Amino acid sequence: MGPGTTWGIAVTSLETELQSSLITEWVSTAKSTKYREFVAAVLSWALHYDTSDDEPPRELLTGNATWDHHYWPAFAPFTAGAVEAQAAGRNPLPTATLHSFAKESEKPVRFLLAWKPDLARLYPAYKAAADLLICDVKAHSYWPWRRGWLEALRRHDPGDRRFAAESLITVVGEWAATHPYLAALRDMAPPLPALYDLAVICGLLTHDVSGDTVTFRRDADPTTASTLVSVATRLVVAPPRVSPMDALHTVHRPLMTVAFAAPSTRTELIAATRRSLARVDQLVHLASSDDAVAGRESLSLVLTALTGALRTV
Amino acid sequence: MAPPVTPGEQADEQRIAALQAELQTVLNWLPMDTTLEPLERLAEAAREEIGADHPVTLRIECELEDHRSQRRPISASAHCWEQLAHRAAYLPENDLLRLRIAAFIAQYRRRRGTPPDLAAGVALYEREWERRRALLGEDAQATRTIALELALAIRDRDGDGDLADAIARLESELVFRQRVYDATPFTATAAAALAQTLTIAAARHPDGGTGRVLTDRATKVAEQAVRIRRERFGGLAAATLRARLVHATAVMTAGRADEALREAEEVHAAAVATDAVIDPGWVEHVLAEAQEAAGCPTAVALATAEVCLARREARYPADSVLVAEARQLRDRLRTASG
């Protein structure tokens, strides 16, 4: 049986699949303690600038292509703004240290990409050391969000992979709204774990249980999927700054087409039918109780209504 | 310089992020269930772990309150929103959560629906709209959301020239949303609001060309709302059913009673089967009017109107416009049935 056929089992295995994926391994083990401390330090700078009044977001959030010129100081050593940042006394670490760490950042990501070349298709933005560092910081920042998302998936078992894809978009959107500067860097490049998860959910890539082979489905289109996440992020971060839910609405149709090649309202239809069946269940109890006549009448009404309603969909 | 981050603080930050992510996931899930248990559990966890006054806790409770408010008497909600506003009062005045709570206060004041409430609703929304324009800009989504609510508040106040003013505002809102948001639910909201308002205007011109022009346009705009929501949420979703009620009313006002009745019956069936969250009594009101217009036995329409009145009385204050409207319909049908 394919995913989404046996509801409870399918979603449990999806959550488990995501928990045990290659990306989990990468983020949680593939780096030295020292390097992870460094990324955490950069992240704390990012958080500071996301919430401080030093640079008003509106100045940045113009929706044009000049994001990268507005680096916050922690990233400055990797850009032309290094000298200015140091002159302004805003550089927390010596440039040389940052460069050596950047080399270390390169290692795990390059290693990952060399090991699983197909993964590079998820994230075409790797060019310079700064790209790798930004990628790492985004991943590190997104990690607790992913944990909350997986926890909610585990708990609520909605029974459809589409739901996992939809909620992933709103979670990334809320992450971006919380960290607009960080999210905007590198043309809204999404956190790599989110892209990897989306690819797993949509069945764009397959890996065997040991994780030793990761390959994209032949007809998979991971670039489009990753662009959709970027588009949603931009809608949340830049004007008109929509809610994460509205960002999802905007990319919903292409997301469903890219990811599932199927009608977009299946999740909702399933949900509505399940809701109706829950009512039927209540009414069956009522129909076999003392107030049997009223219960049966209601039951008959709901069943007729459900049949009629399904026909009109 | 860099804020010092202690390990404990960082763990806290991570837990807060996880709670926000859970909230977003649960918000996707809520429309699929009739219970608010997931949101209640999340609010409980947030209160326990990061404190009742943490902004993220308040944010979760705001969502919870929004959903609770859709399912209980209107007058009970006003108090709850005031309380939440009180708890959030320590946040900066321009905080988005505070703005949001203020908008809910305006909404539940307006929806109480007695004439003084309707007047107060306009004043509250005007203030919110001005605040958001100054803070977020004219075209930010949060500002546009309030612009639409303000137009509806003006319509419902229904003073001299209010209806025409509301139509003009909704027309320009729909144009803007079509341009920026294309065929998404945000646009559908404006389309449904405009169609409903045009239909109200059309009903005041029962004869002649003006009424015809208005109902034609109302029907087309309502179709647009139905199409967008059906495509995004499916035919059984409450949002789609609400748009279809607007459409059925427009069609009925255009004099196509049989068509309106068929649609009202379908919506009623779907709403009953899925226990859809639709403003209590609305489905029954449209259905009873359609039954009357299509020449169903008066007893049938009267029975529907009785249900409508009972549901509105449970939701709205006795002196509200909506209860008065339901009572009027019931009384008229009762007289007709002898």
Side-chain angles (χ1 to χ4, degrees):
Chain A
M1 280 182 156
T5 312
T6 315
W7 306 118
I9 294 166
V11 168
T12 308
S13 70
L14 173 61
E15 193 257 339
T16 312
E17 197 180 337
L18 293 166
Q19 287 283 22
S20 60
S21 78
L22 189 60
I23 204 79
T24 308
E25 204 184 310
W26 171 58
V27 173
S28 44
T29 64
K31 291 163 207 162
S32 73
T33 314
K34 210 170 138 204
Y35 175 67
R36 283 160 70 185
E37 277 169 7
F38 166 66
V39 169
V42 176
L43 179 58
S44 89
W45 266 94
L47 298 186
H48 172 66
Y49 273 83
D50 272 334
T51 52
S52 91
D53 296 328
D54 299 356
E55 295 173 55
R58 203 180 292 182
E59 184 188 298
L60 276 181
L61 305 182
T62 50
N64 61 32
T66 62
W67 301 93
D68 288 359
H69 298 296
H70 296 277
Y71 264 39
W72 59 80
F75 283 105
F78 301 101
T79 71
V83 179
E84 290 90 326
Q86 280 193 320
R90 295 190 295 179
N91 188 353
L93 288 169
T95 309
T97 316
L98 283 172
H99 276 300
S100 77
F101 276 124
K103 283 214 167 58
E104 202 169 343
S105 154
E106 209 169 342
K107 236 183 297 169
V109 181
R110 288 243 188 276
F111 175 67
L112 187 79
L113 296 181
W115 188 30
K116 319 282 178 215
D118 262 359
L119 283 181
R121 289 172 62 193
L122 279 180
Y123 215 78
Y126 292 114
K127 282 175 201 114
D131 293 335
L132 299 173
L133 178 61
I134 289 166
C135 168
D136 265 350
V137 174
K138 285 192 183 197
H140 193 94
S141 154
Y142 180 69
W143 205 243
W145 295 75
R146 181 182 188 265
R147 202 175 297 138
W149 171 67
L150 285 176
E151 172 64 18
L153 281 190
R154 189 185 61 75
R155 210 186 288 274
H156 299 307
D157 180 11
D160 198 282
R161 277 174 183 252
R162 286 161 177 74
F163 175 81
E166 290 162 355
S167 54
L168 180 138
I169 298 285
T170 56
V171 170
V172 172
E174 183 74 8
W175 166 81
T178 310
H179 305 302
Y181 291 80
L182 182 61
L185 283 171
R186 287 298 180 270
D187 201 22
M188 309 278 168
L192 185 56
L195 287 186
Y196 189 91
D197 288 339
L198 188 58
V200 171
I201 292 165
C202 304
L204 295 184
L205 52 77
T206 53
H207 54 91
D208 69 14
V209 184
S210 65
D212 273 334
T213 44
V214 178
T215 42
F216 278 101
R217 230 175 49 202
R218 192 168 308 182
D219 58 335
D221 181 8
T223 315
T224 310
S226 103
T227 305
L228 289 176
V229 186
S230 300
V231 168
T233 304
R234 183 182 296 281
L235 285 167
V236 169
V237 172
R241 265 177 281 167
V242 310
S243 70
M245 193 61 83
D246 277 288
L248 167 65
H249 291 330
T250 305
V251 302
H252 192 262
R253 203 190 323 185
L255 178 71
M256 290 299 121
T257 316
V258 164
F260 304 104
S264 62
T265 57
R266 215 183 73 170
T267 310
E268 285 75 16
L269 179 62
I270 291 163
T273 310
R274 293 175 93 200
R275 244 179 5 242
S276 306
L277 291 177
R279 293 206 79 196
V280 168
D281 203 38
Q282 289 169 1
L283 289 167
V284 167
H285 281 292
L286 197 63
S288 51
S289 73
D290 294 346
D291 198 7
V293 176
R296 273 174 212 154
E297 263 175 30
S298 312
L299 184 59
S300 146
L301 177 66
V302 168
L303 286 174
T304 315
L306 178 61
T307 329
L310 283 170
R311 228 177 266 135
T312 69
V313 174
Chain B
M1 296 311 307
V5 176
T6 65
E9 228 179 295
Q10 207 185 4
D12 225 33
E13 286 294 324
Q14 294 197 357
R15 192 56 201 131
I16 291 161
L19 287 167
Q20 282 176 274
E22 274 195 67
L23 173 64
Q24 285 302 323
T25 315
V26 166
L27 288 182
N28 273 282
W29 194 72
L30 273 185
M32 305 190 196
D33 205 341
T34 48
T35 160
L36 294 179
E37 190 274 331
L39 208 44
E40 281 162 354
R41 191 204 54 76
L42 191 60
E44 184 61 43
R47 276 194 294 269
E48 222 163 76
E49 292 174 37
I50 60 176
D53 290 331
H54 191 282
V56 169
T57 308
L58 292 172
R59 168 86 198 287
I60 294 168
E61 292 203 28
C62 182
E63 298 292 347
L64 181 59
E65 208 51 64
D66 180 16
H67 282 88
R68 278 180 179 156
S69 296
Q70 294 169 25
R71 297 155 206 246
R72 68 176 168 215
I74 293 282
S75 45
S77 291
H79 176 65
C80 296
W81 287 111
E82 292 288 356
Q83 272 193 327
L84 203 54
H86 183 69
R87 285 170 58 198
Y90 78 93
L91 294 168
E93 205 173 335
N94 295 340
D95 187 90
L96 284 178
L97 182 66
R98 274 188 76 177
L99 292 178
R100 206 149 167 243
I101 294 172
F104 274 117
I105 288 176
Q107 185 182 337
Y108 280 91
R109 181 71 201 272
R110 173 171 85 85
R111 295 186 68 181
R112 276 172 50 92
T114 68
D117 291 324
L118 295 174
V122 173
L124 287 171
Y125 273 122
E126 258 163 4
R127 202 180 67 194
E128 285 315 305
W129 189 48
E130 288 301 339
R131 259 165 63 172
R132 292 188 185 202
R133 281 170 75 186
L135 182 69
L136 307 168
E138 175 101 33
D139 292 341
Q141 190 187 30
T143 309
R144 288 285 171 174
T145 301
I146 295 298
L148 183 127
E149 294 293 335
L150 173 59
L152 293 180
I154 290 171
R155 176 193 79 187
D156 290 352
R157 180 178 61 184
D158 203 13
D160 214 18
D162 277 348
L163 189 57
D165 184 15
I167 289 175
R169 285 166 185 263
L170 291 170
E171 288 277 10
S172 81
E173 193 55 38
L174 180 58
V175 168
F176 172 83
R177 293 189 186 192
Q178 270 168 337
R179 182 164 58 76
V180 177
Y181 291 86
D182 200 11
T184 63
F186 195 57
T187 304
T189 304
L194 175 62
Q196 194 178 34
T197 308
L198 288 169
T199 305
I200 293 170
R204 293 180 187 177
H205 298 272
D207 303 304
T210 313
R212 167 72 47 182
V213 171
L214 288 168
T215 52
D216 280 356
R217 173 126 174 82
T219 310
K220 277 207 188 70
V221 176
E223 273 165 10
Q224 184 190 3
V226 172
R227 196 169 52 241
I228 293 172
R229 288 184 179 170
R230 194 196 296 272
E231 203 162 279
R232 171 64 185 89
F233 303 117
L236 283 172
T240 312
L241 299 179
R242 288 194 294 265
R244 291 189 74 194
L245 287 177
V246 172
H247 183 260
T249 310
V251 164
M252 182 161 53
T253 310
R256 286 137 63 188
D258 289 341
E259 199 185 319
L261 177 60
R262 212 163 39 243
E263 182 156 40
E265 281 173 344
E266 282 173 10
V267 171
H268 181 246
V272 168
T274 60
D275 202 11
V277 180
I278 297 178
D279 196 36
W282 188 14
V283 180
E284 291 80 3
H285 192 264
V286 176
L287 181 60
E289 281 194 330
Q291 286 168 333
E292 185 193 25
C296 292
T298 312
V300 173
L302 177 59
T304 313
E306 295 279 11
V307 178
C308 167
L309 179 59
R311 299 195 69 189
R312 284 205 174 154
E313 279 175 340
R315 168 90 165 157
Y316 294 99
D319 52 350
S320 65
V321 173
L322 285 174
V323 169
E325 183 191 64
R327 191 174 290 120
Q328 214 173 19
L329 176 66
R330 196 271 315 263
D331 291 347
R332 188 174 75 222
L333 289 166
R334 194 182 262 174
T335 312
S337 73

